[in-house]
Structures are given as C-alpha cells and as structure tokens.
Amino acid sequence: MEQTQPAAKRAKLETKHKPLLEEDETPSVFNPKYRVCPYLDTINRNLLDFDFEKLCSISLTRINVYACLVCGKYFQGRGTNTHAYTHSVGEAHHVFLNLHTLRFYCLPDNYEIIDSSLDDIKYVLNPTFLRNEISKLDQLQPKHSRTVDGVLYLPGVVGLNNIKANDYCNVVLHALSHVSPLRDYFLREQNYATIKRPPGDSMFTLVQRFGELMRKMWNPRNFKAHVSPHEMLQAVVLWSNKRFQITEQGDPIDFLSWFLNTLHRALKGNKQPNSSILYKIFLGEMNIYTRKIPPVELDDAAKQQLLATDEYKDHVEHTNFIYLTCDLPPPPLFTDEFRENIIPQVNLYQLLAKFNGTAEKEYKTYKDNFMKRFEITRLPQFIILYIKRFTKNTFFLEKNPTIVNFPIKNVDFGDILGMKQRDKDLKETKYNLVANIVHDGDPKKGTYRVHILHKANGQWYEMQDLHVTEILPQMITLTESYIQIYERCAES
C-alpha cells in the first residue's frame, strides 16, 4: 500500500498538469510563446522585391532594417518611435521581416511570428542549394517554375533589369551564370564563406553580391520571372571607382576582364593557376615571341649589324591569359556595283591563326616597331574569345561589321597549340560554344544581347535585359559576335 501511494500521487499530479502543458504549446492569439498572427492574410507577395539595397526608405541606414510584407517598403527598427513602428501604426501594416536575421514580427504588438507558411518568403530573400540539387542542374530535364502572377519561367533563364544603361554588365553576368563550374561554386555560399580575409576588407562584398545574384537567377521559387542586379552593380560601381557606371554605356570586355581579376583577388587568389576557382576555369598559358625591327631608313649593311645584336633577337616571354583577342581583317572601303556595302565574312579559324606560333603581327610604339607571334602552351577548361570590333583613331570610334563564321559544336583549338603540347592534349582540344555576346547598332549608342545554351534541355536562348526568347542555333552565327565563351567537350 505504501509503495502504490506515491505512484497514485504521481499519476494524479501528471493528469493535473497535463492540460496546462498542452495549453502552453497550443498556438493561439493569446499565447505569448506560440502566438498566431491574425494579419498573415494581409501579406502581398506581388509587391515583395528583395533585389534592391537593404536600407531604410526614410533614414537610408543599413542597420536593423525590416521589410514591410504588406507594401514591400524597407524601414528601420522595431521599437517604439522607429520608422517601422510608425509605419505599422499609421498605415495599419502589421507583418515585418528582419532582412538580416530572417525572422518575422508583428508590429506594433512586437511579437515574433513563427509560421511555416512564411518559408517561401524566407527562401526568396535567401535561396539555398544542396549539393545534389546543383549536380542535377545540367542533367535533368528542367521544370518550368510558376511566379506569384502565374507566369512560367525557367530557372537560370531569367531577365535582368536594365536600370538605365547597364546592358553591357547584364550580358556578362548572363554569360557567366552559364559557366557550370563557376555557377556551382557560387550557388553554395559555404564554398567561399571560410576564406580568411583581413579586417575591414570590404572588397569581399563583390563576391557575396555575385553569389547572391547567381542564387536568385537559378532560384526555382522566385516570386517574379526576372531579377534586378541592383546590389551587384552598386558593388561594381564602388569597387571600380566609378569606372563602370549604371547610367553610362560601357564595354563588356573591359568589365569582364576587370570583374574576373577583381573576383580572383577577393577570393585570395595569386599568380598560381589553381589559386582560385576563376583561374582553374579560365586561365590558359602562352609563349610570346618578340623581335625588334630595325629602322626602315637604314641601309642593308647597317640592318644586318643591328640584327646580329641581342636587342634584335627573338625574346620569349611565358605568360598567362584569361581571354584571347582576335583581330578582324579591315572592312572593304568601296561599295559593290549595286552601290551597297558588302558585309564581309571571315572564318573563325582564320582569326585563331594569330595564335599558331608561326603567324607574325606588327606592333608599333612611339619609337620602335616589334614583330610578335603567339604560341598557346595550355588551353583552359573555358576559352573566352574577344573579337575586336572597335578601333579608335584620332577623330572617332569605328566599328568593324565583319561577320565571323563559327561552328557551335566541336570547335577544334588544337591547331593553335604548340607542337609539344599538341601531341599530349590532342583529345582535349574540342570545344562547344556556351555563350555568345553580340553588339548591335552604332559604336557608342549600340546595345548588347547574349545567346546562352541551357545544357539541361539543349535549347539556345536570346536574352536582352528583361526579354528572353528561344532562338535557333543557326541564327547565332549570323550575328556580329563580340565575346564568345567555349567549354571543353566532356570526354566521351
């Protein structure tokens, strides 16, 4: 009897306190711990846009910023007399999201909202990708996603907003988003979050912004079918010391070169080929043979004497490259018999002959002339070709309209490799086109568009700012190509 009494007492106590525990854990409007917010139906997902700079729309501060989920505006603070509090009382907008901690609050009552129905908003603000999801991006047949408005879009093939004249940046960002190893690296923030950097090194912001943009472009749960690169471009303007502007047209090759080198430095890369993801993908190696030409006014004997000196012998320089500059032949000066300009055409292999190690090209300085020839010693995984269309003379900028004929698949770069490397790397010299940047119009007032290949479905898309259309591969070769990115064929 004495042994059973404590057990009976315990059972009585358990039944006495059980309803209280259940009541504490039941979400309700009056439970301070698990409070159900009655205003969740006021959230307007159509107005939510997390692409812009995270600063208060009134005080312009970046500290402790909240997004109003009813009107989409950003406000500072949560306590009384803050801008978010005043907005919630004045406009009767009650649901807010902390843009840094990703926690939801109801104002002016100032309690945290815990509700799984808000996870989609959290994911749009900060999309995350698992390794197995990334590995399937180029393999599985892609599924179209649906926006809040009901518009279908393909992740990775979304328009980028042209704020004023930043189409030259947009085409480069579009092209880089389809360089698979680069995209896979930046889709997972953990890949670059552990990089050690000195205190106050804010250049790393560029890496973070590029990673955020990549994740938003490939996000399968976006609320809208386009992305604004606003934060990314602001970081570009800041770190290029206003060399690249949102409001002025620029040159994509200048931007691409600066961007890849700055990203490489921000990722703590050095001159070694594998010191950063960018050098692993894009860095090739070449030998440059330079010989000085004697002055034309000298007689043959004097020329022979000069040629015997060390100064006029071949000098070899081993160097790295991120892109190859292809020179177009000059366009014809005269019209044809119908009084129309002939649009000249040239084969891509003719342009690549510059790098075969035997073709020489003359370079002039203000006092000396040099002959240079280039020999590629190592081809990178991705080759960037820059087709030099613009020439600047004393008076104005001229554009060369020559059409370059190029195959889209199995372009053989073996001919430009040095003889020693040609035998070793013969199997790895075939490349496929993955991106093609085109310039249309006048040299200064023209626009840029890009053709990209979506590997999963094998479809080509033409993208110009917010406009995305499917395009036939045969149409790509008819355009005035400016920058091309080729990927080494996978070993079959």
Side-chain angles (χ1 to χ4, degrees):
M1 189 75 181
E2 286 176 6
Q3 289 175 352
T4 56
Q5 196 175 4
K9 260 184 185 178
R10 210 182 302 119
K12 198 174 180 183
L13 282 165
E14 279 175 9
T15 52
K16 191 177 177 183
H17 291 294
K18 199 172 183 182
L20 286 172
L21 285 168
E22 283 180 355
E23 192 181 323
D24 285 346
E25 291 178 3
T26 305
S28 75
V29 179
F30 305 104
N31 187 337
K33 192 177 176 187
Y34 295 98
R35 196 161 179 180
V36 173
C37 181
Y39 302 111
L40 292 186
D41 59 340
T42 62
I43 294 173
N44 189 346
R45 284 172 170 79
N46 288 318
L47 295 178
L48 299 185
D49 188 348
F50 300 121
D51 293 344
F52 292 96
E53 208 175 355
K54 312 292 187 289
L55 49 81
C56 173
S57 57
I58 296 172
S59 64
L60 302 180
T61 182
R62 290 179 173 79
I63 302 164
N64 205 18
V65 179
Y66 289 77
C68 172
L69 300 185
V70 183
C71 64
K73 292 177 183 173
Y74 297 168
F75 298 98
Q76 185 195 15
R78 197 174 81 233
T80 51
N81 299 324
T82 59
H83 298 300
Y85 184 93
T86 310
H87 177 74
S88 71
V89 174
E91 302 291 331
H93 294 174
H94 300 289
V95 191
F96 288 79
L97 165 65
N98 186 312
L99 295 172
H100 181 65
T101 63
L102 306 186
R103 293 165 81 171
F104 297 89
Y105 295 91
C106 183
L107 298 181
D109 298 343
N110 201 6
Y111 60 85
E112 186 174 357
I113 305 164
I114 298 169
D115 196 304
S116 59
S117 69
L118 302 173
D119 287 350
D120 62 330
I121 297 173
K122 218 183 280 189
Y123 191 86
V124 167
L125 176 56
N126 185 26
T128 51
F129 290 82
L130 301 171
R131 276 203 175 89
N132 63 332
E133 291 173 339
I134 294 170
S135 64
K136 292 172 185 172
L137 284 176
D138 290 337
Q139 294 167 3
L140 295 177
Q141 186 67 19
K143 290 180 182 174
H144 280 76
S145 300
R146 196 177 289 276
T147 64
V148 177
D149 306 338
V151 177
L152 288 173
Y153 74 95
L154 198 60
V157 189
V158 292
L160 284 177
N161 194 14
N162 187 352
I163 298 161
K164 187 175 179 187
N166 56 281
D167 55 333
Y168 73 99
C169 294
N170 288 356
V171 289
V172 169
L173 297 171
H174 271 308
L176 293 178
S177 72
H178 285 266
V179 174
S180 306
L182 189 70
R183 175 203 65 198
D184 297 351
Y185 180 85
F186 280 97
L187 284 183
R188 274 182 69 80
E189 197 174 357
Q190 295 90 322
N191 289 333
Y192 54 85
T194 54
I195 290 173
K196 290 179 182 175
R197 53 189 197 275
D201 177 25
S202 53
M203 191 195 283
F204 199 73
T205 314
L206 198 67
V207 175
Q208 292 168 324
R209 294 286 175 265
F210 185 58
E212 286 166 15
L213 184 66
M214 284 288 120
R215 292 192 286 280
K216 283 175 181 175
M217 288 172 77
W218 285 90
N219 182 4
R221 293 183 241 164
N222 263 336
F223 286 167
K224 53 193 191 312
H226 63 271
V227 175
S228 177
H230 190 266
E231 281 191 289
M232 168 76 218
L233 294 175
Q234 283 206 313
V236 167
V237 172
L238 179 66
W239 283 107
S240 66
N241 291 325
K242 299 187 179 178
R243 178 182 164 193
F244 302 105
Q245 295 275 12
I246 299 173
T247 53
E248 289 175 20
Q249 184 68 280
D251 194 335
I253 194 64
D254 291 343
F255 173 66
L256 178 64
S257 176
W258 172 87
F259 186 60
L260 292 180
N261 282 303
T262 309
L263 272 187
H264 171 71
R265 288 203 313 278
L267 290 167
K268 294 290 161 274
N270 51 38
K271 291 184 179 180
Q272 298 305 313
N274 293 326
S275 57
S276 80
I277 184 70
L278 293 141
Y279 271 22
K280 280 180 191 173
I281 298 168
F282 295 115
L283 194 74
E285 294 172 14
M286 66 159 71
N287 288 331
I288 302 175
Y289 299 89
T290 310
R291 64 181 179 86
K292 200 171 174 183
I293 305 170
V296 185
E297 61 271 11
L298 295 179
D299 59 7
D300 291 345
K303 280 182 185 176
Q304 290 301 324
Q305 266 188 330
L306 282 176
L307 289 171
T309 61
D310 286 342
E311 191 184 349
Y312 284 84
K313 285 182 179 173
D314 264 9
H315 295 282
V316 185
E317 181 191 357
H318 188 75
T319 185
N320 299 329
F321 67 88
I322 285 182
Y323 65 87
L324 296 173
T325 304
C326 297
D327 302 308
L328 288 171
L333 294 172
F334 305 106
T335 56
D336 61 6
E337 64 267 26
F338 301 109
R339 298 201 171 183
E340 290 178 0
N341 277 322
I342 308 162
I343 297 175
Q345 297 187 26
V346 65
N347 196 297
L348 178 68
Y349 292 110
Q350 286 175 253
L351 302 184
L352 292 176
K354 171 184 173 182
F355 304 101
N356 62 11
T358 54
E360 286 191 319
K361 184 170 167 50
E362 188 176 351
Y363 289 84
K364 295 180 181 179
T365 63
Y366 68 98
K367 61 173 184 175
D368 293 316
N369 290 0
F370 295 92
M371 294 298 281
K372 289 190 178 185
R373 54 193 173 92
F374 306 90
E375 181 186 54
I376 307 291
T377 55
R378 186 175 73 85
L379 289 168
Q381 185 186 353
F382 283 80
I383 295 176
I384 301 174
L385 289 186
Y386 158 49
I387 297 163
K388 194 173 179 182
R389 288 202 174 273
F390 301 112
T391 50
K392 204 171 188 178
N393 59 28
T394 318
F395 304 105
F396 49 85
L397 191 67
E398 284 181 322
K399 181 184 174 184
N400 190 328
T402 304
I403 301 290
V404 179
N405 296 320
F406 55 90
I408 283 171
K409 287 187 175 179
N410 295 321
V411 181
D412 192 358
F413 283 85
D415 293 341
I416 64 171
L417 267 178
M419 291 308 292
K420 291 176 185 174
Q421 286 73 27
R422 209 173 289 187
D423 300 330
K424 284 191 287 183
D425 303 336
L426 198 59
K427 293 176 184 175
E428 300 177 353
T429 59
K430 296 278 178 72
Y431 285 74
N432 294 335
L433 186 71
V434 291
N436 179 52
I437 294 173
V438 179
H439 180 267
D440 298 313
D442 296 332
K444 286 186 179 175
K445 297 179 183 176
T447 56
Y448 292 95
R449 57 196 164 101
V450 62
H451 302 119
I452 55 105
L453 172 67
H454 197 290
K455 284 188 198 168
N457 61 4
Q459 176 64 52
W460 280 92
Y461 294 89
E462 181 176 279
M463 306 171 88
Q464 186 167 9
D465 300 330
L466 297 175
H467 304 287
V468 178
T469 51
E470 291 185 3
I471 187 170
L472 290 168
Q474 296 88 332
M475 300 298 290
I476 295 169
T477 57
L478 304 175
T479 55
E480 294 177 3
S481 299
Y482 190 54
I483 300 169
Q484 297 181 327
I485 302 179
Y486 288 90
E487 179 183 14
R488 184 182 286 142
C489 297
E491 289 181 20
S492 52

